[in-house]
Amino acid sequence: MKKIYIDTNIIIAYAVGPTKEKIQYPKAEKIFKQIEDGEFIGVVSTLTLTEIIGVLRTLIGREREKMLTIKEHDQNEHVRHEAKKIYDEIIKILLTMNNIKFEEGKMSNFQTILSDGFELISGSTGFQKFHSTCGICRQAYKSSNYKQILVADILHALLAKDTGCDELLTFDGGFRGIIGHEKIEPLTICVK
Amino acid sequence: MMELTERSLWLLALIESSPYVNGNTRLQKYALLSTKIVLENEEKYEDWEPNDFGGFSRQVGLEIQYFTKNELIEQDTVNSSGQEHHRYSITKKGRELIKEFINSKRETYDKLKTITNFYFKRPLNDLLTDTYTLYPEYTSNSKIKHIVRQTLLKRTLHPNLQYVVPFTTKQPDLSIISSTEHVNAFQFQDERIREKLSAMIGLKSIPKIESNSVKKLSGILENRITENEVDAIEIVSSVRGHI
């Protein structure tokens, strides 16, 4: 059975649900259905789990109205505590899920990862994006940015290769910049 | 003077032979190895059976309780690697009791002492791995085969970690390293991470695989956040440092 590395955004899209993540949820649902049916092994790394904590804290911190009802010196603890509660639930579900394999890295040492990461970043290309709405509040807001591979993306790709995954599945187009790079081959990157 | 059977005296001598014994599992493995390797021609415990951590003797367990109750050994609770366990050491009374016995069995006792001192400073994983590979007949109910597999793999990769167990010419059975037998429902040998994650979320053991858990993850955040829309790519990118 194929081993496929599941990027954090797939887990988050599925956890957010169809009402609030209309674009990515259907694709995430299909991926989890395939895992459940044993079409492939879904690999969840400890790096992904670390990012899930970060995402949950970010989401809780964005709850402006709720945060304003909490005393200032209790706000940080509230974010940490609430995120941990949800994180624990998510971990428990992932632990009980069929065809999920947890990985934390195996063969490569830190020096190799940094060296390969440097080459990947240097050789990668991004793409220019133009926006007409704010990414968070969706209000009209004109901006542009250069979308490129991030250091964390590189680490995910190298970790996927290191743990013997056949493929890395992601929704993030930034990964396109390293598709086919010799440092990540034979890993295939699939942007859904 | 208290009367003990010869096998009880050997068990007491085993505890006496090193400064202390850390934990029930280590004590059981010392007793198993000494029974099989050193005490072949002596009166010994015969009720060895496969248990969660390999070979286990109920009689040894009961004897330890008896020794403690009669102040022949001391039992302290110590914390090691975040886990509490009993540390056993002989008392003055216990030492007096077996002094004559040890003198009468000096040669065998010295071998026993060589075994316990050989493992005294070694990690428990080494002791477990040696008992598992020398006596695989007691591993059928084990819940920690993955730990033994990892230790064996490390030894394979690092020859400096290899050694010969004293007084035995028995060849270790390495089939456990390539065994495809599932020790529990988790087929990917990722039990160590699962154990860690389970402990982190306050579970005492790894939860079992459930058939409907995929559905439980779907929309778990929906009612926890008031935002009408969440862009999964954007939120993950923001955590990764791309705003």
Side-chain angles (χ1 to χ4, degrees), chain B residues 35-115:
Chain B
T35 296
K36 301 286 183 185
I37 298 173
V38 180
L39 303 176
E40 272 179 320
N41 302 316
E42 304 287 337
E43 193 187 315
K44 56 191 177 285
Y45 298 94
E46 306 279 7
D47 65 328
W48 295 101
E49 56 183 54
N51 207 287
D52 291 358
F53 303 105
F56 174 84
S57 159
R58 193 173 298 276
Q59 286 298 328
V60 167
L62 292 170
E63 210 79 86
I64 294 302
Q65 287 178 22
Y66 178 81
F67 291 165
T68 309
K69 191 178 164 190
N70 288 282
E71 298 174 338
L72 299 176
I73 60 170
E74 284 175 333
Q75 203 180 107
D76 299 315
T77 302
V78 293
N79 194 305
S80 167
S81 308
Q83 286 187 321
E84 282 194 348
H85 57 253
H86 294 309
R87 173 178 285 182
Y88 302 101
S89 55
I90 196 157
T91 60
K92 193 178 172 189
K93 184 180 169 186
R95 202 180 297 277
E96 280 298 317
L97 186 70
I98 53 163
K99 196 174 170 184
E100 204 175 303
F101 175 74
I102 287 175
N103 283 334
S104 68
K105 302 273 187 182
R106 179 55 67 182
E107 195 180 333
T108 311
Y109 170 79
D110 285 346
K111 283 186 173 179
L112 185 78
K113 188 167 181 155
T114 303
I115 297 271

Side-chain angles (χ1 to χ4, degrees), chain A residues 6 13 20 24 34 56 118 130 138-139 143 149 152 167 186 188-189 191:
Chain A
I6 306 298
K20 296 183 177 181
Q24 311 301 342
Q34 288 174 307
L56 294 173
F118 176 72
F130 293 91
R138 301 291 171 195
Q139 297 292 309
S143 66
I149 188 89
E167 209 171 288
T188 306
I189 289 180
V191 181

Side-chain angles (χ1 to χ4, degrees), chain A residues 7-9 12-21 24-25 32 36 41 49 51 54-56 58-59 62-63 84 86 88-90 92-93 95-104 138 145-147 150 152-153 156 171-172 175, chain B residues 185-190 192-198 200-203 206-243:
Chain A
D7 195 10
T8 315
N9 44 46
I12 294 300
Y14 193 55
V16 167
T19 315
K20 296 183 177 181
E21 220 317 354
Q24 311 301 342
Y25 177 86
F32 274 99
E36 189 180 31
I41 299 164
L49 297 179
E51 287 182 343
V55 167
L56 294 173
T58 303
L59 285 170
R62 281 186 189 177
E63 295 290 303
K84 174 80 168 74
I86 306 171
D88 286 359
E89 285 179 48
I90 291 175
K92 192 173 175 189
I93 294 169
L95 282 168
T96 57
M97 220 179 259
N98 216 356
N99 300 317
I100 288 286
K101 179 171 168 55
F102 293 91
E103 288 280 13
E104 56 185 349
R138 301 291 171 195
N145 68 333
Y146 183 70
K147 179 82 175 158
L150 302 173
D153 299 343
H156 279 289
F171 293 148
D172 189 345
F175 277 89
Chain B
F186 314 110
Q187 68 264 52
F188 304 127
Q189 292 170 24
D190 58 351
R192 200 174 67 80
I193 310 177
R194 286 177 181 273
E195 274 170 10
K196 200 160 68 177
L197 290 170
S198 302
M200 279 171 73
I201 63 170
L203 299 177
I206 306 172
K208 295 272 179 256
I209 302 292
E210 294 172 14
S211 56
N212 62 342
S213 50
V214 165
K215 284 190 181 68
K216 288 184 188 168
L217 185 63
S218 172
I220 194 172
L221 294 175
E222 194 168 316
N223 296 322
R224 310 289 185 95
I225 44 179
T226 53
E227 282 179 53
N228 291 328
E229 278 183 54
V230 175
D231 181 339
I233 301 172
E234 176 270 323
I235 190 100
V236 174
S237 292
S238 73
V239 169
R240 289 179 182 170
H242 187 280
I243 311 295

